[in-house]
Amino acid sequence: MKTHLQGDAFVVIDDAILDQQVIQIKVKKDWRTIEPYMTGLDRNSLKSVVYGFCRDVVPSLSYPSRWKCFDLDDIDAVEVTNYSFDPHIDYEGENDCMLTVYRKLKPAWTSEESVHLCIAG
């Protein structure tokens, strides 16, 4: 894996979303392994963020979700892994925290299609 520094982070993450590649990001001295789904402008902070599914986080009572936004300014390094991923069934291509979306992964299917799957199943 090649480590990319903060200045290249946006381009590397953007490419990883398009290619559906798992990445590792270094945030405040901690490494996180994520599936990147979306980049955009955070509604509250007005900072650029990456939204993704954290593979190395165990859900708990204090943080029950593995979905998380990371501020791009807090990312010190990015590594693209050799692993790819398919979109999670609960990913709908929307995030209420985003004011503007720069790049996003297309969902596996739309909400309407998932309703049809539930009825058929």
Side-chain angles (χ1 to χ4, degrees):
M1 290 182 287
K2 182 178 179 186
T3 302
H4 300 274
L5 299 178
Q6 201 265 349
D8 297 327
F10 183 79
V11 174
V12 173
I13 293 169
D14 192 57
D15 288 345
I17 292 171
L18 288 172
D19 298 336
Q20 293 178 226
Q21 290 295 125
V22 175
I23 60 173
Q24 291 185 317
I25 57 174
K26 185 177 182 183
V27 180
K28 299 179 182 174
K29 299 183 183 179
D30 292 325
W31 284 94
R32 291 283 172 247
T33 303
I34 68 168
E35 299 170 4
Y37 281 79
M38 192 180 302
T39 56
L41 192 63
D42 183 78
R43 184 175 303 282
N44 297 320
S45 69
L46 299 179
K47 292 185 176 186
S48 294
V49 295
V50 58
Y51 174 72
F53 183 83
C54 298
R55 287 186 161 195
D56 58 357
V57 172
V58 177
S60 65
L61 289 176
S62 60
Y63 196 80
S65 178
R66 293 173 79 176
W67 294 95
K68 185 168 169 119
C69 280
F70 296 94
D71 187 334
L72 287 177
D73 289 338
D74 292 340
I75 297 174
D76 297 320
V78 178
E79 292 183 358
V80 179
T81 70
N82 294 326
Y83 301 103
S84 61
F85 65 93
D86 291 322
H88 282 264
I89 192 168
D90 59 341
Y91 171 69
E92 297 178 355
E94 301 293 327
N95 186 327
D96 293 339
C97 297
M98 296 278 188
L99 179 64
T100 304
V101 174
Y102 305 142
R103 170 79 63 200
K104 71 178 180 178
L105 183 63
K106 183 181 177 209
W109 49 66
T110 64
S111 298
E112 184 177 305
E113 290 171 328
S114 76
V115 168
H116 290 292
L117 287 174
C118 291
I119 293 170

PDB file of all heavy atoms in Angstrom, residues 29-67:
ATOM      1  N   LYS A  29      -3.600  10.464  15.036  1.00  0.00           N
ATOM      2  CA  LYS A  29      -2.710   9.369  15.459  1.00  0.00           C
ATOM      3  C   LYS A  29      -3.357   7.988  15.447  1.00  0.00           C
ATOM      4  O   LYS A  29      -2.708   7.005  15.750  1.00  0.00           O
ATOM      5  CB  LYS A  29      -2.120   9.641  16.852  1.00  0.00           C
ATOM      6  CG  LYS A  29      -1.283  10.894  16.909  1.00  0.00           C
ATOM      7  CD  LYS A  29      -0.683  11.074  18.281  1.00  0.00           C
ATOM      8  CE  LYS A  29       0.090  12.365  18.346  1.00  0.00           C
ATOM      9  NZ  LYS A  29       0.662  12.604  19.646  1.00  0.00           N
ATOM     10  N   ASP A  30      -4.636   7.882  15.126  1.00  0.00           N
ATOM     11  CA  ASP A  30      -5.316   6.583  15.055  1.00  0.00           C
ATOM     12  C   ASP A  30      -5.592   6.235  13.594  1.00  0.00           C
ATOM     13  O   ASP A  30      -5.984   7.088  12.807  1.00  0.00           O
ATOM     14  CB  ASP A  30      -6.654   6.620  15.808  1.00  0.00           C
ATOM     15  CG  ASP A  30      -6.496   6.757  17.304  1.00  0.00           C
ATOM     16  OD1 ASP A  30      -5.522   6.186  17.848  1.00  0.00           O
ATOM     17  OD2 ASP A  30      -7.339   7.425  17.925  1.00  0.00           O
ATOM     18  N   TRP A  31      -5.402   4.965  13.262  1.00  0.00           N
ATOM     19  CA  TRP A  31      -5.725   4.472  11.923  1.00  0.00           C
ATOM     20  C   TRP A  31      -7.127   3.891  11.938  1.00  0.00           C
ATOM     21  O   TRP A  31      -7.494   3.176  12.861  1.00  0.00           O
ATOM     22  CB  TRP A  31      -4.720   3.420  11.472  1.00  0.00           C
ATOM     23  CG  TRP A  31      -3.414   4.006  11.047  1.00  0.00           C
ATOM     24  CD1 TRP A  31      -2.302   4.170  11.822  1.00  0.00           C
ATOM     25  CD2 TRP A  31      -3.098   4.527   9.763  1.00  0.00           C
ATOM     26  NE1 TRP A  31      -1.308   4.760  11.085  1.00  0.00           N
ATOM     27  CE2 TRP A  31      -1.771   4.987   9.809  1.00  0.00           C
ATOM     28  CE3 TRP A  31      -3.801   4.639   8.566  1.00  0.00           C
ATOM     29  CZ2 TRP A  31      -1.120   5.551   8.716  1.00  0.00           C
ATOM     30  CZ3 TRP A  31      -3.168   5.205   7.467  1.00  0.00           C
ATOM     31  CH2 TRP A  31      -1.838   5.655   7.552  1.00  0.00           C
ATOM     32  N   ARG A  32      -7.919   4.195  10.932  1.00  0.00           N
ATOM     33  CA  ARG A  32      -9.260   3.650  10.758  1.00  0.00           C
ATOM     34  C   ARG A  32      -9.343   3.021   9.375  1.00  0.00           C
ATOM     35  O   ARG A  32      -8.816   3.569   8.392  1.00  0.00           O
ATOM     36  CB  ARG A  32     -10.331   4.748  10.857  1.00  0.00           C
ATOM     37  CG  ARG A  32     -10.489   5.308  12.232  1.00  0.00           C
ATOM     38  CD  ARG A  32     -11.294   4.309  13.070  1.00  0.00           C
ATOM     39  NE  ARG A  32     -11.323   4.715  14.442  1.00  0.00           N
ATOM     40  CZ  ARG A  32     -10.738   4.042  15.429  1.00  0.00           C
ATOM     41  NH1 ARG A  32     -10.058   2.953  15.181  1.00  0.00           N
ATOM     42  NH2 ARG A  32     -10.829   4.452  16.668  1.00  0.00           N
ATOM     43  N   THR A  33     -10.008   1.882   9.295  1.00  0.00           N
ATOM     44  CA  THR A  33     -10.242   1.209   8.031  1.00  0.00           C
ATOM     45  C   THR A  33     -11.684   1.468   7.643  1.00  0.00           C
ATOM     46  O   THR A  33     -12.602   1.087   8.375  1.00  0.00           O
ATOM     47  CB  THR A  33      -9.981  -0.301   8.158  1.00  0.00           C
ATOM     48  OG1 THR A  33      -8.637  -0.497   8.618  1.00  0.00           O
ATOM     49  CG2 THR A  33     -10.170  -1.011   6.831  1.00  0.00           C
ATOM     50  N   ILE A  34     -11.877   2.155   6.516  1.00  0.00           N
ATOM     51  CA  ILE A  34     -13.235   2.513   6.125  1.00  0.00           C
ATOM     52  C   ILE A  34     -13.529   2.183   4.667  1.00  0.00           C
ATOM     53  O   ILE A  34     -12.628   2.108   3.833  1.00  0.00           O
ATOM     54  CB  ILE A  34     -13.551   4.007   6.374  1.00  0.00           C
ATOM     55  CG1 ILE A  34     -12.744   4.916   5.451  1.00  0.00           C
ATOM     56  CG2 ILE A  34     -13.334   4.393   7.826  1.00  0.00           C
ATOM     57  CD1 ILE A  34     -13.227   6.358   5.462  1.00  0.00           C
ATOM     58  N   GLU A  35     -14.801   1.991   4.410  1.00  0.00           N
ATOM     59  CA  GLU A  35     -15.332   1.922   3.058  1.00  0.00           C
ATOM     60  C   GLU A  35     -15.865   3.327   2.774  1.00  0.00           C
ATOM     61  O   GLU A  35     -16.829   3.750   3.388  1.00  0.00           O
ATOM     62  CB  GLU A  35     -16.467   0.907   2.978  1.00  0.00           C
ATOM     63  CG  GLU A  35     -16.053  -0.492   3.329  1.00  0.00           C
ATOM     64  CD  GLU A  35     -17.235  -1.440   3.468  1.00  0.00           C
ATOM     65  OE1 GLU A  35     -18.397  -1.045   3.212  1.00  0.00           O
ATOM     66  OE2 GLU A  35     -17.004  -2.598   3.845  1.00  0.00           O
ATOM     67  N   PRO A  36     -15.226   4.085   1.879  1.00  0.00           N
ATOM     68  CA  PRO A  36     -15.683   5.456   1.631  1.00  0.00           C
ATOM     69  C   PRO A  36     -16.895   5.479   0.702  1.00  0.00           C
ATOM     70  O   PRO A  36     -16.899   4.843  -0.346  1.00  0.00           O
ATOM     71  CB  PRO A  36     -14.475   6.109   0.967  1.00  0.00           C
ATOM     72  CG  PRO A  36     -13.796   4.980   0.261  1.00  0.00           C
ATOM     73  CD  PRO A  36     -14.022   3.758   1.115  1.00  0.00           C
ATOM     74  N   TYR A  37     -17.930   6.183   1.122  1.00  0.00           N
ATOM     75  CA  TYR A  37     -19.162   6.244   0.345  1.00  0.00           C
ATOM     76  C   TYR A  37     -19.453   7.631  -0.222  1.00  0.00           C
ATOM     77  O   TYR A  37     -20.108   7.749  -1.244  1.00  0.00           O
ATOM     78  CB  TYR A  37     -20.355   5.814   1.206  1.00  0.00           C
ATOM     79  CG  TYR A  37     -20.459   4.325   1.352  1.00  0.00           C
ATOM     80  CD1 TYR A  37     -19.665   3.628   2.245  1.00  0.00           C
ATOM     81  CD2 TYR A  37     -21.346   3.597   0.579  1.00  0.00           C
ATOM     82  CE1 TYR A  37     -19.747   2.262   2.371  1.00  0.00           C
ATOM     83  CE2 TYR A  37     -21.445   2.221   0.693  1.00  0.00           C
ATOM     84  CZ  TYR A  37     -20.640   1.557   1.599  1.00  0.00           C
ATOM     85  OH  TYR A  37     -20.723   0.197   1.703  1.00  0.00           O
ATOM     86  N   MET A  38     -18.982   8.673   0.471  1.00  0.00           N
ATOM     87  CA  MET A  38     -19.385  10.006   0.071  1.00  0.00           C
ATOM     88  C   MET A  38     -18.399  11.049   0.590  1.00  0.00           C
ATOM     89  O   MET A  38     -17.855  10.900   1.672  1.00  0.00           O
ATOM     90  CB  MET A  38     -20.770  10.254   0.692  1.00  0.00           C
ATOM     91  CG  MET A  38     -21.516  11.437   0.221  1.00  0.00           C
ATOM     92  SD  MET A  38     -23.151  11.598   1.038  1.00  0.00           S
ATOM     93  CE  MET A  38     -23.946  10.059   0.639  1.00  0.00           C
ATOM     94  N   THR A  39     -18.166  12.079  -0.205  1.00  0.00           N
ATOM     95  CA  THR A  39     -17.448  13.260   0.273  1.00  0.00           C
ATOM     96  C   THR A  39     -18.350  14.463   0.044  1.00  0.00           C
ATOM     97  O   THR A  39     -19.173  14.477  -0.881  1.00  0.00           O
ATOM     98  CB  THR A  39     -16.113  13.491  -0.461  1.00  0.00           C
ATOM     99  OG1 THR A  39     -16.352  13.568  -1.866  1.00  0.00           O
ATOM    100  CG2 THR A  39     -15.106  12.415  -0.139  1.00  0.00           C
ATOM    101  N   GLY A  40     -18.200  15.445   0.919  1.00  0.00           N
ATOM    102  CA  GLY A  40     -19.023  16.638   0.766  1.00  0.00           C
ATOM    103  C   GLY A  40     -18.742  17.664   1.832  1.00  0.00           C
ATOM    104  O   GLY A  40     -17.803  17.533   2.623  1.00  0.00           O
ATOM    105  N   LEU A  41     -19.591  18.665   1.867  1.00  0.00           N
ATOM    106  CA  LEU A  41     -19.491  19.764   2.805  1.00  0.00           C
ATOM    107  C   LEU A  41     -20.448  19.504   3.966  1.00  0.00           C
ATOM    108  O   LEU A  41     -21.649  19.341   3.761  1.00  0.00           O
ATOM    109  CB  LEU A  41     -19.850  21.073   2.100  1.00  0.00           C
ATOM    110  CG  LEU A  41     -19.552  22.372   2.807  1.00  0.00           C
ATOM    111  CD1 LEU A  41     -18.048  22.522   3.024  1.00  0.00           C
ATOM    112  CD2 LEU A  41     -20.086  23.536   1.994  1.00  0.00           C
ATOM    113  N   ASP A  42     -19.896  19.436   5.177  1.00  0.00           N
ATOM    114  CA  ASP A  42     -20.702  19.185   6.368  1.00  0.00           C
ATOM    115  C   ASP A  42     -21.642  20.367   6.627  1.00  0.00           C
ATOM    116  O   ASP A  42     -21.219  21.526   6.586  1.00  0.00           O
ATOM    117  CB  ASP A  42     -19.793  18.967   7.579  1.00  0.00           C
ATOM    118  CG  ASP A  42     -20.565  18.622   8.831  1.00  0.00           C
ATOM    119  OD1 ASP A  42     -20.989  17.465   8.966  1.00  0.00           O
ATOM    120  OD2 ASP A  42     -20.751  19.541   9.665  1.00  0.00           O
ATOM    121  N   ARG A  43     -22.892  20.059   6.874  1.00  0.00           N
ATOM    122  CA  ARG A  43     -23.926  21.079   7.081  1.00  0.00           C
ATOM    123  C   ARG A  43     -23.625  21.981   8.281  1.00  0.00           C
ATOM    124  O   ARG A  43     -23.877  23.177   8.242  1.00  0.00           O
ATOM    125  CB  ARG A  43     -25.280  20.403   7.264  1.00  0.00           C
ATOM    126  CG  ARG A  43     -26.451  21.350   7.401  1.00  0.00           C
ATOM    127  CD  ARG A  43     -27.773  20.606   7.459  1.00  0.00           C
ATOM    128  NE  ARG A  43     -28.010  19.744   6.325  1.00  0.00           N
ATOM    129  CZ  ARG A  43     -28.409  20.139   5.114  1.00  0.00           C
ATOM    130  NH1 ARG A  43     -28.598  21.412   4.873  1.00  0.00           N
ATOM    131  NH2 ARG A  43     -28.611  19.269   4.147  1.00  0.00           N
ATOM    132  N   ASN A  44     -23.090  21.423   9.357  1.00  0.00           N
ATOM    133  CA  ASN A  44     -22.854  22.189  10.585  1.00  0.00           C
ATOM    134  C   ASN A  44     -21.511  22.916  10.599  1.00  0.00           C
ATOM    135  O   ASN A  44     -21.438  24.095  10.918  1.00  0.00           O
ATOM    136  CB  ASN A  44     -22.970  21.286  11.811  1.00  0.00           C
ATOM    137  CG  ASN A  44     -24.362  20.720  11.944  1.00  0.00           C
ATOM    138  OD1 ASN A  44     -25.351  21.407  11.708  1.00  0.00           O
ATOM    139  ND2 ASN A  44     -24.459  19.458  12.308  1.00  0.00           N
ATOM    140  N   SER A  45     -20.446  22.210  10.261  1.00  0.00           N
ATOM    141  CA  SER A  45     -19.112  22.811  10.366  1.00  0.00           C
ATOM    142  C   SER A  45     -18.667  23.535   9.102  1.00  0.00           C
ATOM    143  O   SER A  45     -17.711  24.307   9.131  1.00  0.00           O
ATOM    144  CB  SER A  45     -18.079  21.730  10.697  1.00  0.00           C
ATOM    145  OG  SER A  45     -17.911  20.855   9.587  1.00  0.00           O
ATOM    146  N   LEU A  46     -19.353  23.239   7.983  1.00  0.00           N
ATOM    147  CA  LEU A  46     -18.983  23.775   6.670  1.00  0.00           C
ATOM    148  C   LEU A  46     -17.561  23.375   6.274  1.00  0.00           C
ATOM    149  O   LEU A  46     -16.871  24.102   5.566  1.00  0.00           O
ATOM    150  CB  LEU A  46     -19.161  25.298   6.609  1.00  0.00           C
ATOM    151  CG  LEU A  46     -20.587  25.799   6.835  1.00  0.00           C
ATOM    152  CD1 LEU A  46     -20.626  27.320   6.778  1.00  0.00           C
ATOM    153  CD2 LEU A  46     -21.558  25.199   5.834  1.00  0.00           C
ATOM    154  N   LYS A  47     -17.141  22.205   6.753  1.00  0.00           N
ATOM    155  CA  LYS A  47     -15.840  21.651   6.384  1.00  0.00           C
ATOM    156  C   LYS A  47     -16.063  20.445   5.471  1.00  0.00           C
ATOM    157  O   LYS A  47     -17.102  19.791   5.519  1.00  0.00           O
ATOM    158  CB  LYS A  47     -15.076  21.205   7.628  1.00  0.00           C
ATOM    159  CG  LYS A  47     -14.643  22.359   8.501  1.00  0.00           C
ATOM    160  CD  LYS A  47     -13.803  21.864   9.644  1.00  0.00           C
ATOM    161  CE  LYS A  47     -13.277  23.026  10.469  1.00  0.00           C
ATOM    162  NZ  LYS A  47     -12.356  22.572  11.502  1.00  0.00           N
ATOM    163  N   SER A  48     -15.059  20.140   4.667  1.00  0.00           N
ATOM    164  CA  SER A  48     -15.126  18.970   3.802  1.00  0.00           C
ATOM    165  C   SER A  48     -14.931  17.712   4.631  1.00  0.00           C
ATOM    166  O   SER A  48     -14.032  17.642   5.471  1.00  0.00           O
ATOM    167  CB  SER A  48     -14.058  19.048   2.715  1.00  0.00           C
ATOM    168  OG  SER A  48     -14.326  20.117   1.845  1.00  0.00           O
ATOM    169  N   VAL A  49     -15.800  16.718   4.387  1.00  0.00           N
ATOM    170  CA  VAL A  49     -15.773  15.476   5.149  1.00  0.00           C
ATOM    171  C   VAL A  49     -15.886  14.280   4.212  1.00  0.00           C
ATOM    172  O   VAL A  49     -16.318  14.405   3.069  1.00  0.00           O
ATOM    173  CB  VAL A  49     -16.922  15.403   6.196  1.00  0.00           C
ATOM    174  CG1 VAL A  49     -16.764  16.474   7.260  1.00  0.00           C
ATOM    175  CG2 VAL A  49     -18.284  15.499   5.539  1.00  0.00           C
ATOM    176  N   VAL A  50     -15.467  13.132   4.725  1.00  0.00           N
ATOM    177  CA  VAL A  50     -15.698  11.859   4.057  1.00  0.00           C
ATOM    178  C   VAL A  50     -16.626  11.055   4.961  1.00  0.00           C
ATOM    179  O   VAL A  50     -16.452  11.017   6.182  1.00  0.00           O
ATOM    180  CB  VAL A  50     -14.387  11.092   3.751  1.00  0.00           C
ATOM    181  CG1 VAL A  50     -13.582  10.809   5.003  1.00  0.00           C
ATOM    182  CG2 VAL A  50     -14.684   9.795   3.007  1.00  0.00           C
ATOM    183  N   TYR A  51     -17.641  10.463   4.350  1.00  0.00           N
ATOM    184  CA  TYR A  51     -18.622   9.641   5.062  1.00  0.00           C
ATOM    185  C   TYR A  51     -18.366   8.199   4.665  1.00  0.00           C
ATOM    186  O   TYR A  51     -18.252   7.887   3.473  1.00  0.00           O
ATOM    187  CB  TYR A  51     -20.025  10.074   4.658  1.00  0.00           C
ATOM    188  CG  TYR A  51     -21.157   9.233   5.191  1.00  0.00           C
ATOM    189  CD1 TYR A  51     -21.509   9.276   6.534  1.00  0.00           C
ATOM    190  CD2 TYR A  51     -21.899   8.425   4.340  1.00  0.00           C
ATOM    191  CE1 TYR A  51     -22.561   8.521   7.021  1.00  0.00           C
ATOM    192  CE2 TYR A  51     -22.960   7.676   4.816  1.00  0.00           C
ATOM    193  CZ  TYR A  51     -23.292   7.734   6.152  1.00  0.00           C
ATOM    194  OH  TYR A  51     -24.342   6.986   6.627  1.00  0.00           O
ATOM    195  N   GLY A  52     -18.229   7.330   5.661  1.00  0.00           N
ATOM    196  CA  GLY A  52     -17.932   5.951   5.337  1.00  0.00           C
ATOM    197  C   GLY A  52     -18.338   4.979   6.413  1.00  0.00           C
ATOM    198  O   GLY A  52     -18.752   5.346   7.510  1.00  0.00           O
ATOM    199  N   PHE A  53     -18.217   3.708   6.073  1.00  0.00           N
ATOM    200  CA  PHE A  53     -18.526   2.598   6.967  1.00  0.00           C
ATOM    201  C   PHE A  53     -17.216   2.129   7.585  1.00  0.00           C
ATOM    202  O   PHE A  53     -16.301   1.709   6.868  1.00  0.00           O
ATOM    203  CB  PHE A  53     -19.185   1.461   6.176  1.00  0.00           C
ATOM    204  CG  PHE A  53     -19.603   0.298   7.012  1.00  0.00           C
ATOM    205  CD1 PHE A  53     -20.801   0.314   7.699  1.00  0.00           C
ATOM    206  CD2 PHE A  53     -18.789  -0.825   7.118  1.00  0.00           C
ATOM    207  CE1 PHE A  53     -21.199  -0.771   8.469  1.00  0.00           C
ATOM    208  CE2 PHE A  53     -19.170  -1.910   7.883  1.00  0.00           C
ATOM    209  CZ  PHE A  53     -20.373  -1.881   8.560  1.00  0.00           C
ATOM    210  N   CYS A  54     -17.114   2.230   8.902  1.00  0.00           N
ATOM    211  CA  CYS A  54     -15.882   1.864   9.615  1.00  0.00           C
ATOM    212  C   CYS A  54     -15.847   0.358   9.853  1.00  0.00           C
ATOM    213  O   CYS A  54     -16.637  -0.169  10.627  1.00  0.00           O
ATOM    214  CB  CYS A  54     -15.802   2.599  10.952  1.00  0.00           C
ATOM    215  SG  CYS A  54     -15.743   4.369  10.783  1.00  0.00           S
ATOM    216  N   ARG A  55     -14.916  -0.299   9.214  1.00  0.00           N
ATOM    217  CA  ARG A  55     -14.779  -1.738   9.372  1.00  0.00           C
ATOM    218  C   ARG A  55     -14.182  -2.128  10.715  1.00  0.00           C
ATOM    219  O   ARG A  55     -14.380  -3.231  11.184  1.00  0.00           O
ATOM    220  CB  ARG A  55     -13.904  -2.310   8.258  1.00  0.00           C
ATOM    221  CG  ARG A  55     -14.567  -2.353   6.921  1.00  0.00           C
ATOM    222  CD  ARG A  55     -13.683  -3.050   5.936  1.00  0.00           C
ATOM    223  NE  ARG A  55     -14.464  -3.499   4.792  1.00  0.00           N
ATOM    224  CZ  ARG A  55     -14.013  -4.373   3.917  1.00  0.00           C
ATOM    225  NH1 ARG A  55     -12.803  -4.886   4.053  1.00  0.00           N
ATOM    226  NH2 ARG A  55     -14.763  -4.720   2.904  1.00  0.00           N
ATOM    227  N   ASP A  56     -13.421  -1.241  11.334  1.00  0.00           N
ATOM    228  CA  ASP A  56     -12.704  -1.593  12.558  1.00  0.00           C
ATOM    229  C   ASP A  56     -13.316  -0.982  13.816  1.00  0.00           C
ATOM    230  O   ASP A  56     -12.655  -0.898  14.837  1.00  0.00           O
ATOM    231  CB  ASP A  56     -11.230  -1.219  12.443  1.00  0.00           C
ATOM    232  CG  ASP A  56     -11.024   0.266  12.169  1.00  0.00           C
ATOM    233  OD1 ASP A  56     -12.020   0.996  12.014  1.00  0.00           O
ATOM    234  OD2 ASP A  56      -9.868   0.692  12.102  1.00  0.00           O
ATOM    235  N   VAL A  57     -14.566  -0.568  13.750  1.00  0.00           N
ATOM    236  CA  VAL A  57     -15.261  -0.025  14.920  1.00  0.00           C
ATOM    237  C   VAL A  57     -16.333  -1.012  15.343  1.00  0.00           C
ATOM    238  O   VAL A  57     -17.122  -1.468  14.512  1.00  0.00           O
ATOM    239  CB  VAL A  57     -15.894   1.353  14.596  1.00  0.00           C
ATOM    240  CG1 VAL A  57     -16.783   1.820  15.727  1.00  0.00           C
ATOM    241  CG2 VAL A  57     -14.817   2.371  14.303  1.00  0.00           C
ATOM    242  N   VAL A  58     -16.351  -1.329  16.618  1.00  0.00           N
ATOM    243  CA  VAL A  58     -17.380  -2.220  17.158  1.00  0.00           C
ATOM    244  C   VAL A  58     -18.498  -1.346  17.721  1.00  0.00           C
ATOM    245  O   VAL A  58     -18.244  -0.493  18.567  1.00  0.00           O
ATOM    246  CB  VAL A  58     -16.800  -3.134  18.263  1.00  0.00           C
ATOM    247  CG1 VAL A  58     -17.878  -4.003  18.865  1.00  0.00           C
ATOM    248  CG2 VAL A  58     -15.662  -3.970  17.706  1.00  0.00           C
ATOM    249  N   PRO A  59     -19.725  -1.526  17.232  1.00  0.00           N
ATOM    250  CA  PRO A  59     -20.826  -0.718  17.758  1.00  0.00           C
ATOM    251  C   PRO A  59     -20.978  -0.894  19.272  1.00  0.00           C
ATOM    252  O   PRO A  59     -20.747  -1.965  19.814  1.00  0.00           O
ATOM    253  CB  PRO A  59     -22.058  -1.265  17.023  1.00  0.00           C
ATOM    254  CG  PRO A  59     -21.515  -1.929  15.802  1.00  0.00           C
ATOM    255  CD  PRO A  59     -20.157  -2.446  16.190  1.00  0.00           C
ATOM    256  N   SER A  60     -21.358   0.197  19.951  1.00  0.00           N
ATOM    257  CA  SER A  60     -21.549   0.171  21.395  1.00  0.00           C
ATOM    258  C   SER A  60     -22.771   1.011  21.750  1.00  0.00           C
ATOM    259  O   SER A  60     -23.371   1.645  20.885  1.00  0.00           O
ATOM    260  CB  SER A  60     -20.306   0.731  22.097  1.00  0.00           C
ATOM    261  OG  SER A  60     -20.159   2.101  21.773  1.00  0.00           O
ATOM    262  N   LEU A  61     -23.107   1.050  23.025  1.00  0.00           N
ATOM    263  CA  LEU A  61     -24.234   1.874  23.457  1.00  0.00           C
ATOM    264  C   LEU A  61     -23.975   3.350  23.210  1.00  0.00           C
ATOM    265  O   LEU A  61     -24.874   4.099  22.826  1.00  0.00           O
ATOM    266  CB  LEU A  61     -24.528   1.643  24.935  1.00  0.00           C
ATOM    267  CG  LEU A  61     -25.132   0.286  25.289  1.00  0.00           C
ATOM    268  CD1 LEU A  61     -25.281   0.146  26.795  1.00  0.00           C
ATOM    269  CD2 LEU A  61     -26.472   0.104  24.595  1.00  0.00           C
ATOM    270  N   SER A  62     -22.740   3.787  23.410  1.00  0.00           N
ATOM    271  CA  SER A  62     -22.416   5.198  23.215  1.00  0.00           C
ATOM    272  C   SER A  62     -22.323   5.566  21.725  1.00  0.00           C
ATOM    273  O   SER A  62     -22.554   6.715  21.362  1.00  0.00           O
ATOM    274  CB  SER A  62     -21.124   5.560  23.929  1.00  0.00           C
ATOM    275  OG  SER A  62     -20.066   4.786  23.423  1.00  0.00           O
ATOM    276  N   TYR A  63     -21.954   4.614  20.865  1.00  0.00           N
ATOM    277  CA  TYR A  63     -21.894   4.860  19.427  1.00  0.00           C
ATOM    278  C   TYR A  63     -22.375   3.612  18.695  1.00  0.00           C
ATOM    279  O   TYR A  63     -21.577   2.746  18.325  1.00  0.00           O
ATOM    280  CB  TYR A  63     -20.473   5.249  18.990  1.00  0.00           C
ATOM    281  CG  TYR A  63     -20.465   5.872  17.615  1.00  0.00           C
ATOM    282  CD1 TYR A  63     -20.813   7.204  17.448  1.00  0.00           C
ATOM    283  CD2 TYR A  63     -20.168   5.130  16.494  1.00  0.00           C
ATOM    284  CE1 TYR A  63     -20.840   7.783  16.196  1.00  0.00           C
ATOM    285  CE2 TYR A  63     -20.199   5.696  15.235  1.00  0.00           C
ATOM    286  CZ  TYR A  63     -20.532   7.020  15.089  1.00  0.00           C
ATOM    287  OH  TYR A  63     -20.576   7.591  13.849  1.00  0.00           O
ATOM    288  N   PRO A  64     -23.704   3.503  18.502  1.00  0.00           N
ATOM    289  CA  PRO A  64     -24.266   2.268  17.952  1.00  0.00           C
ATOM    290  C   PRO A  64     -24.071   2.060  16.450  1.00  0.00           C
ATOM    291  O   PRO A  64     -24.355   0.994  15.943  1.00  0.00           O
ATOM    292  CB  PRO A  64     -25.758   2.396  18.288  1.00  0.00           C
ATOM    293  CG  PRO A  64     -26.001   3.859  18.376  1.00  0.00           C
ATOM    294  CD  PRO A  64     -24.717   4.474  18.871  1.00  0.00           C
ATOM    295  N   SER A  65     -23.579   3.070  15.754  1.00  0.00           N
ATOM    296  CA  SER A  65     -23.446   2.964  14.301  1.00  0.00           C
ATOM    297  C   SER A  65     -21.983   2.841  13.887  1.00  0.00           C
ATOM    298  O   SER A  65     -21.097   3.396  14.523  1.00  0.00           O
ATOM    299  CB  SER A  65     -24.052   4.197  13.637  1.00  0.00           C
ATOM    300  OG  SER A  65     -23.883   4.132  12.236  1.00  0.00           O
ATOM    301  N   ARG A  66     -21.766   2.130  12.785  1.00  0.00           N
ATOM    302  CA  ARG A  66     -20.426   2.040  12.211  1.00  0.00           C
ATOM    303  C   ARG A  66     -20.240   3.064  11.089  1.00  0.00           C
ATOM    304  O   ARG A  66     -19.186   3.156  10.496  1.00  0.00           O
ATOM    305  CB  ARG A  66     -20.177   0.632  11.701  1.00  0.00           C
ATOM    306  CG  ARG A  66     -20.122  -0.375  12.865  1.00  0.00           C
ATOM    307  CD  ARG A  66     -20.041  -1.784  12.383  1.00  0.00           C
ATOM    308  NE  ARG A  66     -18.678  -2.087  11.974  1.00  0.00           N
ATOM    309  CZ  ARG A  66     -18.294  -3.292  11.574  1.00  0.00           C
ATOM    310  NH1 ARG A  66     -19.140  -4.290  11.543  1.00  0.00           N
ATOM    311  NH2 ARG A  66     -17.046  -3.491  11.209  1.00  0.00           N
ATOM    312  N   TRP A  67     -21.288   3.842  10.786  1.00  0.00           N
ATOM    313  CA  TRP A  67     -21.229   4.902   9.792  1.00  0.00           C
ATOM    314  C   TRP A  67     -20.708   6.160  10.463  1.00  0.00           C
ATOM    315  O   TRP A  67     -21.169   6.531  11.530  1.00  0.00           O
ATOM    316  CB  TRP A  67     -22.612   5.164   9.201  1.00  0.00           C
ATOM    317  CG  TRP A  67     -23.136   4.012   8.417  1.00  0.00           C
ATOM    318  CD1 TRP A  67     -23.967   3.021   8.864  1.00  0.00           C
ATOM    319  CD2 TRP A  67     -22.849   3.702   7.057  1.00  0.00           C
ATOM    320  NE1 TRP A  67     -24.214   2.125   7.862  1.00  0.00           N
ATOM    321  CE2 TRP A  67     -23.546   2.516   6.736  1.00  0.00           C
ATOM    322  CE3 TRP A  67     -22.079   4.321   6.086  1.00  0.00           C
ATOM    323  CZ2 TRP A  67     -23.492   1.940   5.472  1.00  0.00           C
ATOM    324  CZ3 TRP A  67     -22.026   3.739   4.827  1.00  0.00           C
ATOM    325  CH2 TRP A  67     -22.730   2.566   4.522  1.00  0.00           C
TER     326      TRP A  67
END
